[in-house]
Amino acid sequence: EIMPSLVGSEMCIRDRRSAADNFTQEELRQGVEFAHAKGSVVYVVLNGFLHDQDLDELEAFLVFLEEVKIDAVIVSDLGVIEKVKQCSNIEVHLSTQASCVNAHSAKLWKKMGVTRVVLGREASVEDARIIKQNADIEVEMFIHGSMCMAYSGNCVISNFTQGRDSNRGGCAHSCRFEYGLEIDQTDLEKKKQFFMSSKDLNGLRLLEDFIKAGVDSVKVEGRMKSHLYAATMSKVYSEALNYYEEHKSFLSDQLEEWDKELAKVTHRTYAPVNLVEKAGEETIFNEREHDGSAQYIMIGRIVDTLKNEFIIVEVRNAFGPGDTIEILPFSASVIEHKVESITNLMGNDIKRTKPSTLVKLPYFEAVSYTHLRAHETRH
């Protein structure tokens, strides 16, 4: 997890996965150096449920993590916490997997050496306020992203349906599938439902409540999400936090713009889920994955510019002259731009770009090292 240092608060993108390309030790070392040079902190996730053979290998890894100066590890297992304390001086944050949802639990974890609790997703903003006030410990809380029908993500459906351990990074999202229910054993009448699939969490309009409750860090669920998703979420929530730090209010037209941005990434129907009231039947997402919301795709990343001459783009998805694209700067509003011409690095015209290539666009103002996107239905 890379958590940008923000004025008055924090935000992080969480990505716990086993089916993706994880860092090698050398890549992790370079990533930590890069993040620290940019003023960010790095937390390493150790929140899978470890068996004894895993614990045997953990000590050497902890020595390495301390050597590269990671800022904290995120842990769910008591044995792992003990091992971290025995083998290193690394700060320990409690994972949401540990299901901390009350002040008494938070106090106990604090006694065991935990400095921050990431609350279970069943907690409300009011729960967070009580925990912060009574346990006197740093509190981190989910504000956006996919939700889970199991308690704090402790689920074994994927284990039985896919042979993949949900609690060791192998979740296959089996709860998102459509299931048939046999209502009458005689005629085998079936009713198909997505009865275990939850709407996505969206707490943007409750961000001021998070701040007033004393929440130290807001967290965006990002498991297996795209670069575009991570870029959009980081931009929206960091801008909102910084805006509040300056104005002490979200009463602005900018709130509508942030809402529009959050609607542009792939998502299920949004809901506050447990943040205000306990999730119930109304939070079930009883549809297929595509909910009809506007979806954009990442078409490239700006990797270099030469002022008044050209922009070099690393292409992720094909686009061509005549397409209208959007540039996502790290701050400020999204920039809409119509592509007039594209060339390869040799200067030859291109009618349609190809993924994994570098191309040149004519230079235009207000670009930097950032992402490009386009509406998925543009062709």
Side-chain angles (χ1 to χ4, degrees):
E1 304 189 21
I2 304 254
M3 301 185 65
S5 296
L6 301 173
V7 179
S9 191
E10 289 182 353
M11 190 202 75
C12 68
I13 299 286
R14 175 177 184 265
D15 198 348
R16 172 177 166 270
R17 65 263 180 100
S18 66
D21 292 330
N22 288 307
F23 288 114
T24 65
Q25 289 197 355
E26 183 55 33
E27 287 170 340
L28 182 56
R29 183 192 304 274
Q30 294 173 7
V32 172
E33 291 176 355
F34 179 83
H36 285 171
K38 300 295 183 181
S40 294
V41 294
V42 180
Y43 302 152
V44 171
V45 180
L46 296 176
N47 66 346
F49 295 159
L50 304 190
H51 297 272
D52 283 326
Q53 61 266 32
D54 303 313
L55 288 171
D56 291 340
E57 301 172 0
L58 183 58
E59 183 173 348
F61 187 55
L62 289 170
V63 171
F64 168 75
L65 293 181
E66 190 164 37
E67 176 192 333
V68 300
K69 297 182 173 58
I70 62 110
D71 297 282
V73 288
I74 301 176
V75 182
S76 58
D77 184 87
L78 286 165
V80 175
I81 292 177
E82 184 178 41
K83 195 78 170 177
V84 173
K85 291 298 181 183
Q86 288 176 348
C87 302
S88 74
N89 293 308
I90 300 172
E91 189 172 330
V92 177
H93 293 180
L94 186 73
S95 170
T96 186
Q97 297 284 117
S99 307
C100 179
V101 293
N102 63 71
H104 291 284
S105 174
K107 289 177 182 178
L108 179 61
W109 289 113
K110 183 179 178 181
K111 287 181 181 178
M112 300 186 68
V114 170
T115 60
R116 173 182 292 191
V117 291
V118 182
L119 300 185
R121 301 192 201 189
E122 297 71 32
S124 67
V125 178
E126 176 61 14
D127 292 331
R129 185 192 66 78
I130 294 171
I131 292 168
K132 179 69 178 180
Q133 180 178 327
N134 289 278
D136 189 28
I137 191 172
E138 288 187 6
V139 171
E140 186 171 313
M141 192 175 189
F142 281 93
I143 196 168
H144 198 101
S146 299
M147 293 296 288
C148 181
M149 53 74 63
Y151 201 90
S152 294
N154 294 310
C155 172
V156 292
I157 300 177
S158 289
N159 299 56
F160 290 96
T161 60
Q162 304 284 328
R164 290 166 52 175
D165 194 335
S166 304
N167 298 301
R168 290 162 61 84
C171 177
H173 299 282
S174 299
C175 59
R176 306 296 183 190
F177 300 164
E178 184 179 36
Y179 289 89
L181 176 65
E182 294 186 3
I183 300 174
D184 188 326
Q185 293 290 342
T186 304
D187 58 15
L188 297 180
E189 178 185 358
K190 291 185 178 181
K191 183 179 182 181
K192 293 186 176 181
Q193 296 283 345
F194 297 87
F195 61 91
M196 291 185 290
S197 185
S198 171
K199 293 177 181 177
D200 281 356
L201 176 66
N202 182 343
L204 176 66
R205 290 181 175 270
L206 297 172
L207 189 52
E208 185 169 359
D209 295 331
F210 277 73
I211 295 169
K212 290 181 176 179
V215 173
D216 297 278
S217 176
V218 293
K219 190 162 192 155
V220 174
E221 188 277 333
R223 182 181 298 181
M224 302 298 288
K225 301 297 187 183
S226 66
H227 292 87
L228 178 59
Y229 181 94
T232 301
M233 295 302 147
S234 299
K235 173 181 169 58
V236 168
Y237 280 99
S238 60
E239 278 187 1
L241 287 167
N242 290 330
Y243 183 92
Y244 186 86
E245 181 67 20
E246 181 179 353
H247 300 280
K248 305 304 179 187
S249 171
F250 289 118
L251 297 177
S252 163
D253 292 341
Q254 189 64 37
L255 187 58
E256 299 298 328
E257 292 301 314
W258 293 327
D259 269 334
K260 290 177 182 178
E261 284 299 297
L262 294 179
K264 288 180 178 179
V265 295
T266 302
H267 66 281
R268 303 174 191 93
T269 302
Y270 283 138
V273 196
N274 291 300
L275 294 180
V276 179
E277 298 178 351
K278 292 298 181 186
E281 183 178 354
E282 72 283 353
T283 63
I284 296 174
F285 183 71
N286 196 20
E287 303 174 40
R288 297 191 182 278
E289 285 296 306
H290 187 274
D291 64 355
S293 62
Q295 295 189 25
Y296 284 66
I297 57 173
M298 180 176 170
I299 59 171
R301 184 171 65 93
I302 297 173
V303 297
D304 203 357
T305 62
L306 184 59
K307 190 175 177 71
N308 297 324
E309 291 196 33
F310 57 79
I311 299 162
I312 296 181
V313 176
E314 176 192 358
V315 180
R316 299 293 179 87
N317 284 284
F319 65 100
D323 284 339
T324 298
I325 64 176
E326 291 185 349
I327 295 88
L328 277 69
F330 293 116
S331 59
S333 299
V334 169
I335 304 161
E336 193 173 276
H337 176 75
K338 186 171 183 178
V339 178
E340 296 179 354
S341 63
I342 308 172
T343 67
N344 60 22
L345 297 186
M346 302 298 292
N348 301 316
D349 288 337
I350 294 175
K351 292 184 178 180
R352 192 80 179 153
T353 64
K354 294 181 180 179
S356 301
T357 60
L358 295 175
V359 300
K360 293 198 294 187
L361 303 180
Y363 182 85
F364 55 96
E365 291 294 335
V367 297
S368 61
Y369 295 85
T370 184
H371 295 87
L372 306 176
R373 71 182 178 199
H375 200 282
E376 197 170 27
T377 58
R378 66 196 186 282
H379 287 292

